[in-house]
Amino acid sequence: GAGEDAEKEKLVRISANSKEGREAYKAEMFVEKPVTVLELLERFPSCMPPVEVLLDVLPPLAPRYYSAADSAARGFGSPWAACFSVVESAAGEDGAPPRRGHVTGTLDSALERAGGGDVGKAVGPLVVRPRLPLGTFAPPEDPGVPYVMIAAGTGVAPFRGFVRARAALAKARAAGDADAAPLGETWLFFGCRHRARDFLYGEELLEAAGTPALTHLRVAFSRCDADDPACLALPGDGASAVRGHVQAAVFAEREAVGKLLRGDERAR
């Protein structure tokens, strides 16, 4: 029919290997964000490729890697934690529906179904393939060496593991070897947007702040309400907050951090 002919003409135009074809493709397919294959088929209902053709042209989903937000020092058999942000985009003015990230959206839905319990029971067995990152991203082998940690958003995940490892070490030392050398000084600078939504592991980090597990915690809230002084009020002597990005928190403590790094050649 006429509708099928019009769709065919448009498909031929946007798929042409020419400057005009590329411009037409961008105009049709990238009004606000690129369309998915499903949205493409919905826009052109007369286009009905066989399922085997779709499976042949669709690229396989690549593995997603997330930083472990935990430490082996807590002992084998303990629940393993990973940190992720759910990727979401709003509906477009061109009619494109809202979207969620393939993996993060699935994991978030599984957490909702699990009610905070075992995600594996909600989605079935999860295949985890550990991968050691290139280089050496780990705390110093000598626990007496001071070091500084700087993170934004979900980048705090591995540092939560560092803090947990030091907490386990401090607990073991307190129970066994009272004469062991003290743990080195540590700083964690953590930048996030909203205190209520993005201060990941906030309660746990605040509990650790000011203890051998984490000497200093400095948080930067970039979306902190200027009219709400409580936004920057963190409990305890080892924690404080500033308004801005993580570099603002580092700048505020530049003298203390500089003194630490210059005073101990082992510091990291």
Side-chain angles (χ1 to χ4, degrees), residues 3-86:
E4 293 183 0
D5 291 340
E7 289 181 10
K8 180 179 179 180
E9 180 182 349
K10 183 178 290 186
L11 282 170
V12 170
R13 185 172 69 253
I14 66 176
S15 61
N17 186 20
S18 64
K19 180 181 178 180
E20 292 76 13
R22 289 190 291 272
E23 291 177 350
Y25 180 82
K26 290 181 180 179
E28 289 286 342
M29 301 294 107
F30 288 82
V31 176
E32 292 185 7
K33 53 191 174 184
V35 300
T36 64
V37 173
L38 177 60
E39 292 167 356
L40 180 66
L41 295 176
E42 290 175 341
R43 290 191 184 187
F44 301 94
S46 64
C47 181
M48 295 182 290
V51 173
E52 59 268 23
V53 173
L54 281 176
L55 294 178
D56 188 51
V57 299
L58 289 174
L61 288 176
R64 265 60 166 183
Y65 291 100
Y66 301 94
S67 294
D70 218 324
S71 169
R74 298 179 64 231
F76 292 103
S78 300
W80 179 83
C83 183
F84 63 89
S85 292
V86 180

Side-chain angles (χ1 to χ4, degrees), residues 2-267:
E4 293 183 0
D5 291 340
E7 289 181 10
K8 180 179 179 180
E9 180 182 349
K10 183 178 290 186
L11 282 170
V12 170
R13 185 172 69 253
I14 66 176
S15 61
N17 186 20
S18 64
K19 180 181 178 180
E20 292 76 13
R22 289 190 291 272
E23 291 177 350
Y25 180 82
K26 290 181 180 179
E28 289 286 342
M29 301 294 107
F30 288 82
V31 176
E32 292 185 7
K33 53 191 174 184
V35 300
T36 64
V37 173
L38 177 60
E39 292 167 356
L40 180 66
L41 295 176
E42 290 175 341
R43 290 191 184 187
F44 301 94
S46 64
C47 181
M48 295 182 290
V51 173
E52 59 268 23
V53 173
L54 281 176
L55 294 178
D56 188 51
V57 299
L58 289 174
L61 288 176
R64 265 60 166 183
Y65 291 100
Y66 301 94
S67 294
D70 218 324
S71 169
R74 298 179 64 231
F76 292 103
S78 300
W80 179 83
C83 183
F84 63 89
S85 292
V86 180
V87 179
E88 295 180 316
S89 61
E93 295 181 359
D94 59 345
R99 299 181 194 161
R100 306 184 88 201
H102 289 295
V103 177
T104 57
T106 300
L107 290 174
D108 186 55
S109 298
L111 284 172
E112 292 179 359
R113 293 196 301 273
D118 189 345
V119 177
K121 294 180 179 179
V123 298
L126 295 175
V127 178
V128 178
R129 185 170 65 187
R131 185 185 72 168
L132 293 176
L134 297 176
T136 54
F137 187 72
E141 293 185 6
D142 181 355
V145 174
Y147 60 92
V148 178
M149 302 168 281
I150 304 175
T154 56
V156 76
F159 295 137
R160 183 210 189 199
F162 289 11
V163 172
R164 284 192 154 196
R166 289 176 66 85
L169 179 59
K171 182 178 180 180
R173 286 189 169 197
D177 188 1
D179 297 326
L183 297 177
E185 183 179 355
T186 56
W187 290 76
L188 172 57
F189 294 94
F190 180 23
C192 54
R193 292 186 177 182
H194 304 276
R195 177 172 178 174
R197 300 201 304 267
D198 306 311
F199 189 15
L200 303 175
Y201 311 115
E203 292 185 6
E204 182 177 327
L205 294 175
L206 288 171
E207 184 178 349
T211 73
L214 178 61
T215 319
H216 310 283
L217 171 65
R218 299 295 182 263
V219 188
F221 297 110
S222 62
R223 298 293 187 273
C224 189
D225 188 350
D227 298 325
D228 181 13
C231 179
L232 299 179
L234 298 182
D237 297 331
S240 65
V242 299
R243 186 178 292 107
H245 298 285
V246 67
Q247 53 265 41
V250 177
F251 185 78
E253 299 288 354
R254 60 192 182 279
E255 293 185 5
V257 172
K259 181 179 179 180
L260 172 70
L261 297 177
R262 291 191 299 268
D264 191 332
E265 61 181 13
R266 304 173 302 163

